[in-house]
Amino acid sequence: IRWDGTRWIQPVQVLRSPDGPALQPCLVAAGEYLHAVWSGGQNGQIYYSWAFVRDGGTPGGWSDPLALPGPAQAEGVGSAPHLVADLGGNLHLVYAVPLNEGRGIYYLRSDDGGESWSAPQRIFDASAAGWGSADRPVVAVDVDGTIYVVWVRASLASTAAQGIYFARSTDGGQTWSEAFPIAEGDSDQPQIAIARGGKVHVLWREVAGSGRWSHRWSVDRGRTWSPATQVRGFSKLQ
């Protein structure tokens, strides 16, 4: 479905996932191209496809779905993929492996418009940290190439959120900082944005109680952080 300038066009099926279900899709536009990723249902394989913007609403306009590489210790169990493009058109993808031995947060990139992808780099090892689960990552890239990721800590028995954590990479995703706790406790739905001058903003929802939204920011590219503040006007939104 797309906006033609005056109205939304009727939905048209343009892609079919090889495994049947297509869960947690994410779409990004970069120049003349659209790029899509999703999780393939029960087996959790992460898939990728692209189309020219002009063909995005056309059946047959998308490339055949490509199964992206997964970690050797947790092949085919990815969830919650999130994709962004930087100013140079390079694609940056994060996804979670929420369960089992390889659980954690993973990063891949493509520097040729999605034709080839790097091997997955583990941003955070949830198993080694003693976490039950890690899930729902979100990525953002600064104009200087610094990559920022936030994600949710969760329990093994359920998807109940137990905190929001942050890491960054200054070398294209080869190495990552230690995980930093942005919010601890019943916090979920993290969002991250980068403002001019490397100012990093993280927004999240406190699930329990009032369900209020809170915010922290960093003026030095994630090295130090402000105290958490409540976002006014969000208290009545669900």
Side-chain angles (χ1 to χ4, degrees):
I1 184 171
R2 67 179 175 85
W3 179 257
D4 67 4
T6 58
R7 62 185 177 86
W8 288 100
I9 66 169
Q10 291 297 312
V12 177
Q13 182 175 327
V14 294
L15 275 171
R16 184 180 295 276
S17 183
D19 298 318
L23 305 179
Q24 303 163 320
C26 182
L27 177 70
V28 65
E32 299 179 356
Y33 299 92
L34 295 172
H35 305 273
V37 291
W38 66 93
S39 177
Q42 291 184 348
N43 78 351
Q45 176 67 58
I46 303 297
Y47 288 100
Y48 162 80
S49 180
W50 69 271
F52 289 107
V53 171
R54 65 176 183 269
D55 299 328
T58 305
W62 289 80
S63 66
D64 292 336
L66 172 68
L68 295 181
Q73 70 272 41
E75 189 71 35
V77 291
S79 72
H82 186 242
L83 181 70
V84 298
D86 63 27
L87 291 179
N90 305 307
L91 301 175
H92 304 262
L93 170 68
V94 291
Y95 65 84
V97 173
L99 302 173
N100 301 323
E101 181 181 353
R103 63 189 181 273
I105 305 298
Y106 291 82
Y107 167 83
L108 288 77
R109 66 181 290 150
S110 173
D111 296 333
D112 54 13
E115 291 188 21
S116 63
W117 292 81
S118 68
Q121 176 73 24
R122 183 153 54 184
I123 298 171
F124 178 74
D125 187 338
S127 178
W131 286 20
S133 181
D135 208 353
R136 301 186 283 287
V138 180
V139 60
V141 184
D142 202 351
V143 294
D144 68 352
T146 303
I147 307 164
Y148 302 93
V149 180
V150 289
W151 66 91
V152 174
R153 177 177 182 175
S155 66
L156 182 61
S158 69
T159 57
Q162 297 178 329
I164 307 296
Y165 285 74
F166 163 90
R168 68 181 184 130
S169 173
T170 59
D171 57 8
Q174 297 182 53
T175 60
W176 294 85
S177 65
E178 293 291 327
F180 175 80
I182 294 289
E184 296 184 280
D186 200 4
S187 303
D188 204 349
Q189 298 173 251
Q191 300 294 320
I192 186 168
I194 314 302
R196 182 178 298 178
K199 297 179 177 64
V200 187
H201 296 263
V202 176
L203 181 74
W204 70 93
R205 181 170 179 257
E206 296 180 12
V207 181
S210 65
R212 69 181 185 179
W213 288 81
S214 295
H215 170 234
R216 291 184 75 175
W217 66 94
S218 170
V219 298
D220 54 9
R221 292 181 164 83
R223 296 179 182 88
T224 61
W225 290 85
S226 73
T229 60
Q230 184 176 356
V231 180
R232 295 181 180 180
F234 274 55
S235 60
K236 296 182 181 180
L237 299 180
Q238 299 299 322

